[in-house]
């Protein structure tokens, strides 16, 4: 599979901004994001949960097209899939580089951020990388008739690292780099709920991640179901 995909996203924010240069309030603004992605991956086998081999690269530009008081973000993102040490094991590597111009206001958008860390930074320069190793633990092939069928249980071991430079009071970029990192695990149950077709890929994931900016780990749960 080798798609080349352009994308355009447009959103309206209802935040009330004060434009210091004009001395007035602005009732909301618009954000546009333009990106181009190139992907080359091997098709999945029936028991694969990630491609055996593959990569994806994305270049994007995020801006507020109708006002000039907010900085513009340009970024490059890359993702690589490789096999693990055993059948159906998977290693996924990701990385991103991001740059933001200074403005009266700045965006805190980050395409890749350490899981479990506090999402409260507004970076001028931002770099991040992550590694995920996922493997199947067992195939129960059992459940409660007509209610829930458990096909597979898998484990993902994750590590994330990011560093960033903030804006200075004059609008420039600080010389100091700050580090954020986290590590954790995710336990996923591949299930078939309530008499759905067996080909339906539904999963429930329980997550735990520990970041260096917090004294305790963060827990989470998510569910993926095709609609």
């Amino acid at each position: 599979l080798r798609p080349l995909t352009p994308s355009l996203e447009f959103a309206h924010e209802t935040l009330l901004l004060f434009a210091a240069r004009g001395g007035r309030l602005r009732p909301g603004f618009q954000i546009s994001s333009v990106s181009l992605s190139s992907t080359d991956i091997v098709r999945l086998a029936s028991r694969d949960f990630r491609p055996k081999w593959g990569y994806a690269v994305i270049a994007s530009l995020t801006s507020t097209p109708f006002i000039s008081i907010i900085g513009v973000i340009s970024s490059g993102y890359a993702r690589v899939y490789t096999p693990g040490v055993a059948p159906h094991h998977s290693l996924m590597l990701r990385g991103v580089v991001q740059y933001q111009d200074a403005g009266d206001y700045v965006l805190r958008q980050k395409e890749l951020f350490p899981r479990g860390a506090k999402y409260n930074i507004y970076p001028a320069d931002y770099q991040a990388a992550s590694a995920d190793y996922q493997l199947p633990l067992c195939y129960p092939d059992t459940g409660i008739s007509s209610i829930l069928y458990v096909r597979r249980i898998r484990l993902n071991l994750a590590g994330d690292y990011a560093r960033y430079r903030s804006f200075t009071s004059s609008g420039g970029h600080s010389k100091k780099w700050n580090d954020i990192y986290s590590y954790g695990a995710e336990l996923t149950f591949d299930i078939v709920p309530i008499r759905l077709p067996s080909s339906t890929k539904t999963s429930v994931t329980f997550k735990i991640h520990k970041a260096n900016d917090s004294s305790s780990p963060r827990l989470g749960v998510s569910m993926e179901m095709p609609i």
Side-chain angles (χ1 to χ4, degrees):
L1 301 173
R2 296 186 178 94
L4 180 66
T5 309
S7 175
L8 172 61
E9 182 178 348
F10 191 80
H12 176 74
E13 296 285 347
T14 59
L15 297 175
L16 191 64
L17 296 181
F18 177 74
R21 281 173 280 182
R24 60 188 180 89
L25 293 174
R26 290 192 61 94
F29 59 94
Q30 295 74 40
I31 297 177
S32 68
S33 181
V34 181
S35 67
L36 180 66
S37 66
S38 175
T39 305
D40 187 348
I41 60 174
V42 174
R43 288 180 180 272
L44 276 68
S46 60
R47 287 194 173 186
D48 289 341
F49 34 79
R50 287 183 186 145
K52 190 173 183 180
W53 293 99
Y55 72 86
V57 291
I58 304 173
S60 64
L61 184 69
T62 302
S63 64
T64 50
F66 304 119
I67 60 175
S68 59
I69 60 174
I70 299 180
V72 177
I73 296 178
S74 56
S75 67
Y77 171 90
R79 179 173 65 244
V80 176
Y81 299 104
T82 69
V85 298
H88 307 299
H89 288 214
S90 171
L91 174 64
M92 179 177 67
L93 304 174
R94 294 177 292 169
V96 66
V97 176
Q98 176 180 303
Y99 175 86
Q100 182 168 189
D101 293 330
D104 293 345
Y105 295 92
V106 295
L107 301 172
R108 62 176 183 177
Q109 174 180 325
K110 298 169 282 292
E111 293 189 52
L112 180 63
F113 193 70
R115 284 159 282 191
K118 298 175 182 177
Y119 199 85
N120 58 355
I121 64 171
Y122 298 80
D125 293 294
Y126 181 78
Q127 302 169 5
S130 74
D132 290 76
Y133 191 91
Q134 193 162 167
L135 66 152
L137 294 180
C138 61
Y139 296 85
D141 288 330
T142 187
I144 304 172
S145 178
S146 303
I147 298 178
L148 181 67
Y149 176 71
V150 182
R151 302 168 58 186
R152 175 175 56 191
I153 302 175
R154 47 192 166 101
L155 176 67
N156 183 64
L157 303 175
D160 304 319
Y161 172 77
R163 67 173 193 158
Y164 69 95
R165 293 193 298 183
S166 303
F167 290 99
T168 62
S169 57
S170 61
H173 292 195
S174 170
K175 295 182 178 181
K176 179 184 176 182
W177 287 92
N178 302 279
D179 297 322
I180 308 173
Y181 62 85
S182 69
Y183 54 90
E186 302 171 354
L187 188 65
T188 299
F189 295 79
D190 292 326
I191 61 175
V192 180
I194 319 173
R195 287 186 175 271
L196 291 179
S198 60
S199 59
T200 301
K201 294 185 177 180
T202 302
S203 62
V204 177
T205 302
F206 298 90
K207 311 172 184 180
I208 179 170
H209 295 279
K210 173 65 173 69
N212 67 322
D213 64 355
S214 177
S215 59
S216 58
R218 292 197 174 186
L219 306 177
V221 61
S222 64
M223 183 176 184
E224 294 185 12
M225 175 184 290
I227 298 178

